[in-house]
Amino acid sequence: MAAHPVDEKLPALKMATSGLQHVAAMYAGVVAPPLIVGAAVGLSATDLTFLTGACLFTAGLATFLQTLGVWKIGARLPFVNGVTFAGVAPMTAIVASTEDKSDALPIIFGAVIVAGLLGFLAAPIFCKAIRFFPPVVTGSVITLIGVSLLPVAFGWAQGPNPGADDYGSTTYLTLAGVTLLIVLLLRRFTRGFVKQIAVLLGLVVGTLVAIPFGVTDFGPVADADVVGFPTPFHFGAPQFQLAAILSLCVVMVVSMTESTADMLALGEIVERPADERTIAAGLRADTLGSALSPLFNGFMCSAFAQNIGLVAMTRIRSRYVVATGGGFLVLMGLCPMAASLIAVVPRPVLGGAGIVLFGSVAASGIQTLVRAGLDRDNNVLIVAVSLAVGIIPITAPEFYHSFPETAKIVLDSGISTGCVTAVVLNLLFNHLGKGREAHDVTHPMEAGEEIAAAH
């Protein structure tokens, strides 16, 4: 009996290049949190490089846990794990409230350890929420994941520094457009292996095109060390403060909610639906990876939604490909010079490729919604309201500005608020009470024939 595509082991070259594609797709997302938090702490350039390498190293270890699995840990799906961006705001808040900045990272690390361990214990309970995720809910959430990620690609396309005068210049936008065009042409006019690594080739060609414009910076390669190991507790032993712990426990709940949605999305894409056991195992990998990460000076880990788009687009569903990507992440953590090679890719080039990747996630959500029965009034309302609520943080970033900081951690995640809204509305319309049948109305703004006839 042939192995499921998820469990397929591809030829070495294809495994390596496809794994590298995953690293390229998520690299900017992994290095952004340590760069932001490290800058807030006031780390030197050397320590900032160290912190970034540590986050790459721990992302690789967490990816191994998720894809290869140990015991009941790991979804064994093609998931890339890395530093969750949901923790950036509370971590910078912890830094701001710490008088001695040298204590800031140890306090953050202590809070991550506790939040990770509590999340690990809660995983078997949290996974039971799968029964509340029918296609109308999962389709809405998958669509929201893609829509929520697209602004990241748009930001990359405009340049590396939002405060710079040339941010959003025609040069940056042209480079993003050229990269997007290259990926599209490769996908349209090539076949087989070349077609599958179109994103990686687009990044390479886009980087080469950017050289004459002076956008490609090879400085990180020249300045990087060849070998470096993330020494345990390099910034000091973990410290445990209640306020910091509570703050990052909230982040852990948000992260687990998003990971659950991501696993459901990826399960649909690879045609191996995620059941309770898979989700519990995946959440254990996320949370244990997070708890172990501070040992090597890393932050909270979570599944990366942008890589779901890569799986959807390339149709390469092997978890061993993603595990290979995890191997590259570990090597980058051990070899700063290798890590710096990915850093050479200009942000606008990443933005052009990101439009394809993140748009593919949204398209996968729409495909799921097609099977959800949108000819029924109840389901149309569920999708309409959950998408509207989920898009609020994107279209109106200051919408929740008057809420407490702890509440904003949850509310500012459109994926989490949209997911909760979809689940609650699905219970209200499709499960609680008998009332009017779902098929009585075919559109939320129009009366159905039966009701019109009754009047």
Side-chain angles (χ1 to χ4, degrees), residues 6 25 65 129 139 161 176 181 188 199 255 293 319 360 368 390-391 414 437:
V6 169
L65 269 180
N161 184 7
L181 181 61
R188 174 62 182 87
V199 173
S255 176
S293 188
R319 60 191 174 103
S360 296
T368 303
I391 291 173
E437 291 298 322

Side-chain angles (χ1 to χ4, degrees), residues 41 94 98 100-113 233-241 294:
V41 173
I94 292 170
T98 305
D100 187 351
K101 300 304 179 187
S102 63
D103 290 333
L105 286 175
I107 290 171
I108 290 172
F109 292 149
V112 171
I113 291 172
F233 302 130
H234 174 81
F235 297 100
Q239 299 180 28
F240 302 94
Q241 288 191 1

Side-chain angles (χ1 to χ4, degrees), residues 42-54:
L43 295 182
S44 65
T46 302
D47 278 342
L48 197 57
T49 301
F50 180 93
L51 184 64
T52 304

